[in-house]
Amino acid sequence: MTLRIVLLGAPGAGKGTQAQRLAATHGLVHISTGDMFRAHLKQGTELGQRVQDYLSSGRLVPDDLTCAIVTDRLVQPDCAQGYILDGFPRSAPQAEALDAFFTDNGQKLDVAVDIAVADEDIVDRLSARRSCPACGAIYNLKYGPSKRGGLCDRENCSGELILRDDDREETIRKRLQVYHQTTAPVIGYYGNQGILKTVDATGLTPDDVFARIEEILCGLKGA
Ligand code: AP5
Ligand code: MG
């Protein structure tokens, strides 16, 4: 079964953590708009320069730029095996643009999974997040540290772990505000389509959240 999944959730809800595991388990392509923008920033491309201020201040990149980067990615041949969208769509116009892409390409979304976490937990989690700039692995000083301290412990990687630029308290609070104003309505959008599943992840470990999502995917296969 070719799966097409959207992962919804506030900043720090665990979208990237779960998307990496789901991609590895089900052979899906992991598409994170945040990771794509950060890669452009790192490479110093024109797009990177255009999005820099948005990322560092925690505001959303304009919909036209974001939708273009996603639809360009979705037509790549590897996406025929199925994919997980992590951090997209994040506004009603983005959700509508994704539906237009599906209509044009004879595809459909199987499920939108909302990973729900209380705001109080977000700042705590994100200020302790450490990321590997080399391979993208995600760690947490409190909830899932690297076994090698400040270095990535994935096989064949020894990247030096960093605190993401936007994981500073003031920017985290701005991202949360943007989430509640602009992104939370996307949950209702998929609810109305009847393809929304919610995982209440407050207080759950990453393993527990993964198990809940796997149950949801099993239900789809059995449907
Ligand atoms: P993006 O990179 O998508 O950031 P985000 O949505 O703010 O989400 P995060 O990546 O911070 O969190 P996550 O949910 O992936 O959590 P993670 O798994 O890392 O976007 C960055 C910026 O790019 C945006 O602000 C915007 O400017 C721009 N952008 C991106 N997409 C856009 C779009 N569609 N439109 C416009 N602009 C866009 O986990 C977080 C931490 O918690 C980690 O340390 C992890 O180890 C830990 N953790 C995970 N699960 C658990 C658990 N169950 N218990 C305890 N700790 C946990
Ligand atoms: Mg992420």
Side-chain angles (χ1 to χ4, degrees):
M1 181 181 177
T2 307
L3 284 170
R4 296 186 195 91
I5 304 169
V6 159
L7 282 188
L8 302 169
K15 302 180 295 295
T17 301
Q18 298 302 328
Q20 289 183 359
R21 283 184 73 164
L22 291 165
T25 305
H26 297 279
L28 303 171
V29 177
H30 173 197
I31 300 171
S32 156
T33 37
D35 287 350
M36 287 159 93
F37 289 138
R38 281 184 290 277
H40 276 275
L41 262 176
K42 197 172 161 191
Q43 289 156 19
T45 67
E46 194 196 326
L47 177 65
Q49 287 167 19
R50 289 177 75 180
V51 303
Q52 184 165 22
D53 286 349
Y54 294 101
L55 267 78
S56 61
S57 62
R59 290 173 300 139
L60 291 186
V61 172
D63 288 334
D64 55 345
L65 281 183
T66 307
C67 292
I69 195 175
V70 172
T71 50
D72 283 355
R73 183 68 188 88
L74 293 182
V75 295
Q76 299 302 314
D78 58 343
C79 287
Q81 70 200 54
Y83 45 82
I84 304 168
L85 286 165
D86 157 8
F88 182 93
R90 242 165 150 111
S91 66
Q94 290 182 15
E96 286 158 12
L98 182 62
D99 273 344
F101 173 87
F102 288 145
T103 305
D104 291 347
N105 290 275
Q107 297 183 4
K108 74 173 184 57
L109 190 63
D110 294 294
V111 66
V113 179
D114 176 33
I115 307 176
V117 177
D119 277 9
E120 306 86 82
D121 290 5
I122 298 285
V123 180
D124 175 56
R125 274 191 195 184
L126 286 184
S127 42
R129 173 166 58 187
R130 296 294 180 271
S131 315
C132 175
C135 74
I138 302 166
Y139 298 94
N140 194 285
L141 296 178
K142 289 188 187 169
Y143 306 108
S146 165
K147 295 181 191 72
R148 298 180 62 203
L151 297 180
C152 182
D153 62 18
R154 273 198 188 163
E155 214 178 332
N156 300 323
C157 186
S158 298
E160 271 190 50
L161 304 184
I162 55 159
L163 177 71
R164 250 171 58 179
D165 268 353
D166 55 352
D167 281 347
R168 294 170 207 281
E169 187 162 342
E170 194 188 307
T171 317
I172 295 170
R173 296 208 181 275
K174 176 67 187 168
R175 286 157 61 201
L176 272 172
Q177 186 194 348
V178 168
Y179 170 76
H180 288 296
Q181 276 173 357
T182 312
T183 308
V186 176
I187 295 172
Y189 182 93
Y190 288 119
N192 289 338
Q193 291 191 358
I195 55 169
L196 176 73
K197 300 282 180 189
T198 302
V199 174
D200 182 356
T202 302
L204 294 190
T205 65
D207 284 351
D208 291 338
V209 177
F210 183 70
R212 298 275 172 94
I213 299 176
E214 283 290 274
E215 274 172 29
I216 291 169
L217 299 185
C218 256
L220 296 179
K221 285 179 181 167

